Amino acid sequence: MQTIGMIRLQMNTLITQARHDLYTLRMTTDETIKQLLIQRLWDTLSSIHFLNELLANQASMTMPMYQHPNGLIPNMVQTQIPPITPTPESPMVANAIQLTIEELAQYDGKNGRAAYVAVDGIVYDVTNNRAWAAATHFGLTAGRDYTAEFASCHAGQQSLLATVPVVGRLV
Amino acid sequence: MSKKRIVINPLTRISGFMEIDVTIEHNKVIDVKTKGNLFRGFEQMLVGRSPFDSVYFTQRICGICSAAHSMASSLALEDALNIEPLEQGRYLRDIIHCCEFLQNHIRHTYQYTAPDFVKIEQNPLFQADHQDFRLPKAINDRIAKHYFDSLPISRASHQMLAVLGGKAPHNHGVFIGGITTQATAEKIVHLDSILQKVTAFIDEKLLPDVYDIAKYYPDYFRLGGGYGNLLTYGAFNHYKELGTLYVDPLISTMDTIEPFDETKITEKIDYSWYKADESTYQPDKIAPEPDQEKSKAYSWVKAPRYDGKPMEVGPLARLIISGAYHNGISAMDRTIARALETKKIAEIMKLLLKEVIPGVDMQKKYQLPETAAGRGLVDTTRGALGHWLKIKDKKLSFYQIITPSTWDFSTRDDQGYRGVAEEALIGTPIEDPDNPAEVGRILRSFDPCMSCATHVYVPGKQVKTIKVF
Amino acid sequence: MERYLLPPEELSNEAIAESLTNTATEKIRNGLLQKKNLVYLELNGCSGNIISLLNGSNPDFEYTLNSMVNLRYCNSLMGAEGEQATEKLFNMLDEDFILAVEGAVALKNNGLYNVIGSFKGNPLTGLEAATMLGDKASHIFAVGACATHGGMSAAKPNPSESVGLQQVLQDKKMTKLPGCPVNPGWFLGTLAHLLLSGEPETDNLDRPLLFYSTLIHDRCPRRPFFDRGIFAEKLGDKTCLFKLGCRGPVTRTDCPTRKWNSGVNWPIGDDTPCIGCAQFGFPDAMAPFISFDTTRVVKDE
């Protein structure tokens, strides 16, 4: 479990760096810098590929199959400390969770169910996100696709998403 | 001498906005309409919200008596969720309620009532329009000074409220089951220490001041009487061990006192801008639609009735019903009753504080039923306050509020009854129609809270009249 | 001139506000500053902000009245009533004054849902008063949630079509002091700053940074519980109230240090969640206030 968390963190760092590089690439007019950035993006991509394979191996060894919400047992007793910072424990890309919009709706953050939201096709876990107290955020409730809302309220703040654990894709 | 119309708008030194429309003939009031001047529509806003949120939400109806609404909504939720609070929970919640009484009564007496009778020359803001000031200079100046001395005392009363309630106005402490936090020895002593100062102020300043005002304005014992029907839902009563410390739910009409029966409460809308299948209904049955076309209607305030009769509510009603006051019903009696009640409440609070056991946690993880209904009836600072709610699919589906000021400032009805405050003004001699001191003095004796009385508005038709009252 | 070595000054927001007020009043006393006129307008709301202002200490309300401003109009406190009162309001148009507004502006039916008085026989709406006085005021304070953005008065379905003050005074600069009610220190401290050294520095939403700069969450005494994931199950618990719906992580005020009612307590100190009353969008964007069914721990797959 610990390893998976570490890999995820590394992946997230790389993704953030790649985003930043792409942004700079779009803005800069300096040819030399462009070359450098493209080179670094290639490197980043290789690293992500490597980490992805590693993650897939780890996941298949340590984790049972992904369970549907009706299989989740609500655990009301505070037996262990849940993670706050993004140290994901959810299975990742290799056996990526694919959720339909109906399935997503079940993750409303109530009665033991996790709180998920989708932005641009990616499903994020906001169960313990500090801006999502009681699985609500400025009048929005968890379990829905908020691509439009994110675009209108957090334009130019894509980096916000980098700190939120990813759980899968919306199909 | 012909008829003359006097309009006072705004009636200042009240909570909210009120307009008075008085007709006088031979310098006597022959007709009167009291009208509230702001609308927010809380009952409509509450539909669809989480039932738990009603406790904090309804407090925002009123800035000066917000704790009252937290009391009524908590009681209504306890009724709906079938929860009986621990006795310790009741004590602590009622202590918060005591603090609200102290704050409200002291502020009303000095900041709202005193400038009617006392020349406060420290600041031009307090300058009155009329010249009917009768107190000897020494007494006048003493009470004027107490206007300012009272500010730290009412502030301290809210401070006590915050010790248990987190903040004031709009406290977080009153909730289902009692209060949210637990009492500690430190908090009890903190409260007791402030209460001592407040009590000293009541004894040494508030009561003597009010009696001095009464002495020099004795005609106000004959003004502002009204119907004489009194009602209370009960206050600080039915404790398991302490019994009733103040007053039980009772009705007083024509020299008889009988138990209060909540099924006899109705609301009437004959002269209010609403329509419904029936113009008289029980509060938990109908939330009427607005209808500004109604020709005879003149107000947004509805007309609650008990057994068909308009009832006066408030400190004087409680004191008379509980047998602690016998002088009569008038504007001055109301002002004296408010001061006497302040003393009474301070004593009750002292008693309750002695019963508090530190460290009792009265909060639980509450669950909402799919459907339920409940009501919370409680006497608060200005009188009888009722909240009626219904829950459907774990959300609020119905909310009805009848505030004390709705009782006292209601419109007339199909039986020809006027509202209580309207009736109280009938026959009042007006000395100077250009600067009528009498009207404001009588109305303020009720401690009107128009923020409360006119919270009700259901959206519907576009209003087309020029004047909205 | 000899310089004395002084102990370091306290730099908490409260201490700064208090020293600002004291400096301002001292300057007024020494004739360095002119007491300014203040018009306090109550519109569509609960009049809870004026009650909160009466709860102020250091400076208290008496002090404010005697040493900082000439309060020229205030529905809750003034001696005059009826047209005589309204006349005082109209007279202000020829003078220099600071305008403080509490309550929202009701737009429905041309503002007739909130009539604040009558003048020469005609009703004076909150809308008319706000635009008329806002146009002439030297400085404007929007006091409390209803004035800053509509607040409670504008809660769904907003029957009175209430809006914040800025919406009817679009081109006017104003200082916004959200809160339900406003903490007296936020209002009186901002007023003191204005008298002493002009308008205080504000954020991009016009809130004085002095009081509204830091997330409650970042200074919350219960933050260590959040970081360890120890959450309250019910009201009255002493741990992090996040799962009950605490809006401290999205609300910027100095509540954790200033607290309320002369600092005796605050909502989180009362074992209840912050309901974000000083956040724009309150109450709808901050609801639900209290939830007991939020997932605390997801059963690990």
Side-chain angles (χ1 to χ4, degrees):
Chain A
M1 300 287 269
Q2 197 61 31
T3 342
I4 293 179
M6 292 298 293
I7 297 170
R8 259 300 300 288
L9 271 180
Q10 274 186 317
M11 291 252 279
N12 277 340
T13 314
L14 287 168
I15 290 166
T16 312
Q17 184 192 303
R19 280 199 184 112
H20 186 257
D21 286 351
L22 280 169
Y23 179 74
T24 324
L25 201 55
R26 208 156 57 90
M27 296 316 230
T28 188
T29 46
D30 188 323
E31 282 304 317
T32 340
I33 292 180
K34 270 189 183 174
Q35 287 306 316
L36 279 170
L37 285 172
I38 289 171
Q39 189 56 50
R40 188 159 85 171
L41 276 168
W42 279 116
D43 290 347
T44 313
L45 200 60
S46 312
S47 306
I48 291 174
H49 186 224
F50 168 76
L51 288 169
N52 186 34
E53 293 301 317
L54 193 63
L55 196 61
N57 285 337
Q58 287 283 334
S60 58
M61 286 190 307
T62 57
M63 303 200 60
M65 283 302 288
Y66 154 71
Q67 293 179 339
H68 273 283
N70 50 12
L72 299 178
I73 305 151
N75 181 4
M76 285 303 136
V77 191
Q78 186 96 35
T79 48
Q80 73 179 82
I81 296 166
I84 299 302
T85 43
T87 46
E89 311 226 338
S90 321
M92 270 299 295
V93 192
N95 49 353
I97 302 180
Q98 301 211 325
L99 293 177
T100 64
I101 195 90
E102 292 79 23
E103 286 165 334
L104 175 66
Q106 301 185 52
Y107 293 92
D108 59 358
K110 301 282 176 193
N111 301 311
R113 297 182 293 271
Y116 292 169
V117 290
V119 174
D120 291 326
I122 310 283
V123 179
Y124 297 90
D125 183 348
V126 293
T127 312
N128 286 321
N129 187 292
R130 67 185 209 167
W132 280 82
T136 53
H137 175 80
F138 290 87
L140 307 178
T141 51
R144 300 202 192 152
D145 179 13
Y146 287 124
T147 305
E149 285 81 354
F150 188 88
S152 74
C153 295
H154 299 295
Q157 294 177 285
Q158 290 294 317
S159 58
L160 274 182
L161 291 170
T163 62
V164 188
V166 175
V167 283
R169 295 195 153 274
L170 189 67
V171 291
Chain B
M1 200 165 137
S2 65
K3 287 182 190 177
K4 188 179 159 88
R5 191 167 159 226
I6 303 172
V7 175
I8 303 176
N9 182 18
L11 182 75
T12 50
R13 283 177 281 119
I14 63 164
S15 189
F17 294 91
M18 184 154 110
E19 174 176 335
I20 322 302
D21 189 337
V22 171
T23 309
I24 57 172
E25 194 175 28
H26 305 300
N27 275 20
K28 273 203 170 165
V29 175
I30 56 160
D31 196 14
V32 58
K33 284 171 183 166
T34 56
K35 308 158 178 186
N37 269 346
L38 87 161
F39 305 99
R40 299 205 285 165
F42 266 77
E43 286 149 338
Q44 203 65 18
M45 293 173 187
L46 281 157
V47 171
R49 289 182 196 267
S50 163
F52 296 128
D53 287 6
S54 65
V55 181
Y56 295 171
F57 202 95
T58 56
Q59 287 193 66
R60 268 96 185 157
I61 290 170
C62 180
I64 197 168
C65 60
S66 54
H69 291 284
S70 64
M71 292 290 299
S73 52
S74 295
L75 291 169
L77 282 172
E78 281 169 1
D79 188 32
L81 271 58
N82 236 330
I83 290 163
E84 196 193 337
L86 294 176
E87 209 58 2
Q88 281 293 320
R90 285 198 63 201
Y91 293 157
L92 285 162
R93 183 157 69 192
D94 288 354
I95 287 171
I96 288 187
H97 202 190
C98 283
C99 301
E100 185 83 313
F101 272 83
L102 296 174
Q103 177 266 150
N104 186 95
H105 284 0
I106 294 170
R107 282 198 171 129
H108 185 270
T109 305
Y110 283 97
Q111 275 68 55
Y112 293 177
T113 302
D116 272 338
F117 301 97
V118 182
K119 236 184 175 146
I120 299 168
E121 286 167 321
Q122 280 87 336
N123 195 305
L125 179 71
F126 308 120
Q127 196 186 319
D129 308 320
H130 63 84
Q131 291 304 320
D132 180 28
F133 292 106
R134 311 178 200 165
L135 296 172
K137 190 167 175 6
I139 295 177
N140 184 87
D141 293 354
R142 187 195 79 212
I143 303 179
K145 181 180 171 293
H146 292 172
Y147 179 103
F148 298 94
D149 294 351
S150 78
L151 291 167
I153 299 299
S154 50
R155 182 189 310 143
S157 304
H158 252 175
Q159 216 173 68
M160 290 195 291
L161 204 163
V163 167
L164 291 177
K167 81 192 233 282
H170 308 332
N171 82 85
H172 275 230
V174 173
F175 201 68
I176 303 167
I179 67 166
T180 55
T181 192
Q182 303 93 40
T184 61
E186 184 270 333
K187 281 180 192 165
I188 296 169
V189 171
H190 192 158
L191 293 179
D192 204 38
S193 152
I194 298 180
L195 183 59
Q196 249 177 39
K197 294 184 190 78
V198 176
T199 307
F201 178 87
I202 296 168
D203 290 338
E204 291 159 19
K205 294 175 180 169
L206 177 71
L207 284 166
D209 288 353
V210 167
Y211 277 117
D212 270 342
I213 289 174
K215 188 173 156 196
Y216 289 93
Y217 293 87
D219 42 330
Y220 282 87
F221 281 110
R222 295 187 301 276
L223 298 178
Y227 290 110
N229 302 330
L230 310 173
L231 172 148
T232 170
Y233 292 160
F236 307 100
N237 59 321
H238 293 327
Y239 295 108
K240 279 180 184 158
E241 284 168 22
L242 303 178
T244 292
L245 298 179
Y246 189 1
V247 61
D248 285 325
L250 290 168
I251 299 300
S252 162
T253 48
M254 298 297 285
D255 299 328
T256 61
I257 289 190
E258 55 187 84
F260 163 75
D261 173 4
E262 65 180 86
T263 61
K264 289 184 178 170
I265 300 176
T266 52
E267 263 201 316
K268 288 173 181 279
I269 51 172
D270 303 279
Y271 288 84
S272 316
W273 282 316
Y274 298 92
K275 64 177 175 190
D277 292 341
E278 294 155 57
S279 66
T280 301
Y281 52 85
Q282 292 192 307
D284 60 337
K285 298 289 189 295
I286 293 177
E289 292 280 314
D291 180 13
Q292 278 259 316
E293 310 295 316
K294 226 158 124 177
S295 55
K296 60 182 179 177
Y298 64 91
S299 175
W300 284 106
V301 182
K302 297 182 266 184
R305 296 291 184 258
Y306 181 84
D307 206 8
K309 297 187 195 75
M311 304 301 256
E312 174 172 343
V313 298
L316 180 63
R318 285 190 286 261
L319 278 188
I320 292 177
I321 289 177
S322 66
Y325 192 83
H326 304 283
N327 193 57
I329 298 174
S330 70
M332 196 53 78
D333 286 302
R334 273 181 213 106
T335 299
I336 291 174
R338 188 166 298 109
L340 288 171
E341 185 177 85
T342 315
K343 167 102 179 131
K344 175 98 190 156
I345 295 293
E347 286 166 2
I348 291 171
M349 181 164 163
K350 178 104 188 156
L351 244 157
L352 290 176
L353 272 176
K354 282 190 186 141
E355 300 294 322
V356 171
I357 302 165
V360 178
D361 185 352
M362 57 216 82
Q363 285 304 317
K364 292 200 175 69
K365 215 177 129 172
Y366 300 113
Q367 295 207 330
L368 287 168
E370 287 294 329
T371 49
R375 88 277 178 270
L377 305 179
V378 63
D379 248 49
T380 75
T381 52
R382 292 174 173 78
L385 171 67
H387 283 206
W388 288 261
L389 62 82
K390 286 177 193 167
I391 298 170
K392 200 179 164 194
D393 299 331
K394 302 191 177 186
K395 303 266 182 220
L396 288 170
S397 63
F398 178 92
Y399 216 103
Q400 171 89 267
I401 301 163
I402 301 181
T403 67
S405 293
T406 314
W407 281 102
D408 283 342
F409 292 88
S410 69
T411 52
R412 54 202 63 189
D413 63 32
D414 56 333
Q415 302 300 310
Y417 285 118
R418 291 189 181 86
V420 172
E422 291 178 345
E423 180 68 19
L425 279 171
I426 296 292
T428 304
I430 304 290
E431 184 128 337
D432 174 7
D434 292 327
N435 294 298
E438 298 86 353
V439 175
R441 284 172 177 166
I442 291 170
L443 289 172
R444 282 190 198 93
S445 75
F446 287 98
D447 191 0
C449 180
M450 286 299 118
S451 315
C452 281
T454 55
H455 58 279
V456 192
Y457 173 67
V458 190
K461 283 184 183 166
Q462 191 66 29
V463 180
K464 63 173 195 184
T465 42
I466 294 300
K467 276 202 169 191
V468 177
F469 300 114
Chain C
M1 202 179 99
E2 204 181 337
R3 287 182 69 89
Y4 294 99
L5 202 60
L6 295 169
E9 213 176 326
E10 220 200 315
L11 285 177
S12 68
N13 288 4
E14 299 66 51
I16 293 169
E18 195 174 336
S19 87
L20 272 177
T21 322
N22 291 342
T23 321
T25 41
E26 206 155 283
K27 286 203 173 185
I28 288 168
R29 210 177 296 127
N30 297 338
L32 294 174
L33 283 176
Q34 286 279 309
K35 258 174 100 176
K36 288 210 174 177
N37 292 324
L38 176 71
V39 171
Y40 192 91
L41 207 54
E42 291 155 73
L43 302 181
N44 208 20
C46 71
S47 298
N49 291 291
I50 187 73
I51 296 294
S52 189
L53 292 179
L54 290 175
N55 284 342
S57 57
N58 298 323
D60 53 28
F61 183 71
E62 309 79 297
Y63 207 70
T64 313
L65 219 51
N66 293 333
S67 312
M68 290 164 72
V69 293
N70 302 312
L71 184 55
R72 300 288 295 273
Y73 184 91
C74 175
N75 184 72
S76 283
L77 298 170
M78 65 198 303
E81 62 187 21
E83 296 239 343
Q84 278 101 330
T86 322
E87 207 178 313
K88 287 182 198 287
L89 197 57
F90 278 86
N91 288 343
M92 290 312 296
L93 293 172
D94 305 325
E95 295 188 52
D96 188 54
F97 65 96
I98 301 166
L99 176 68
V101 175
E102 84 158 272
V105 183
L107 295 182
K108 192 151 184 185
N109 200 22
N110 263 329
L112 280 164
Y113 277 54
N114 175 213
V115 172
I116 66 160
S118 73
F119 193 59
K120 297 195 162 71
N122 293 316
L124 173 69
T125 64
L127 173 62
E128 283 167 330
T131 47
M132 179 179 80
L133 289 152
D135 212 41
K136 299 273 183 181
S138 63
H139 301 277
I140 305 174
F141 293 150
V143 182
C146 290
T148 56
H149 63 274
M152 240 344 148
S153 299
K156 273 187 301 192
N158 195 355
S160 55
E161 290 172 15
S162 281
V163 295
L165 187 63
Q166 186 82 73
Q167 210 158 319
V168 300
L169 291 169
Q170 300 217 348
D171 304 328
K172 297 294 278 192
K173 194 169 176 293
M174 61 180 70
T175 308
K176 294 185 184 133
L177 305 168
C180 189
V182 76
N183 190 310
W186 303 337
F187 176 80
L188 298 170
T190 307
L191 185 64
H193 197 289
L194 180 68
L195 296 173
L196 177 67
S197 51
E199 285 178 13
E201 201 187 336
T202 54
D203 64 9
N204 57 353
L205 298 169
D206 307 318
R207 298 173 291 189
L209 289 169
L210 207 50
F211 309 112
Y212 296 91
S213 63
T214 314
L215 284 173
I216 289 174
H217 189 63
D218 288 343
R219 287 199 288 181
C220 182
R222 301 193 182 191
R223 179 61 186 271
F225 291 108
F226 179 87
D227 290 340
R228 287 173 182 75
I230 302 169
F231 299 120
E233 249 186 281
K234 56 174 188 55
L235 303 175
D237 288 355
K238 306 295 174 194
T239 52
C240 173
L241 298 147
F242 173 71
K243 293 290 178 181
L244 293 167
C246 185
R247 304 300 174 184
V250 295
T251 309
R252 292 178 186 278
T253 67
D254 60 5
C255 288
T257 50
R258 172 181 300 280
K259 300 186 178 174
W260 287 78
N261 301 88
S262 313
V264 295
N265 207 348
W266 67 306
I268 289 174
D270 212 39
D271 304 330
T272 63
C274 162
I275 61 172
C277 77
Q279 173 61 262
F280 291 96
F282 174 83
D284 291 347
M286 299 292 109
F289 299 155
I290 296 171
S291 305
F292 295 102
D293 58 355
T294 313
T295 299
R296 293 150 45 73
V297 182
V298 181
K299 177 78 179 163
D300 216 348
E301 296 100 274

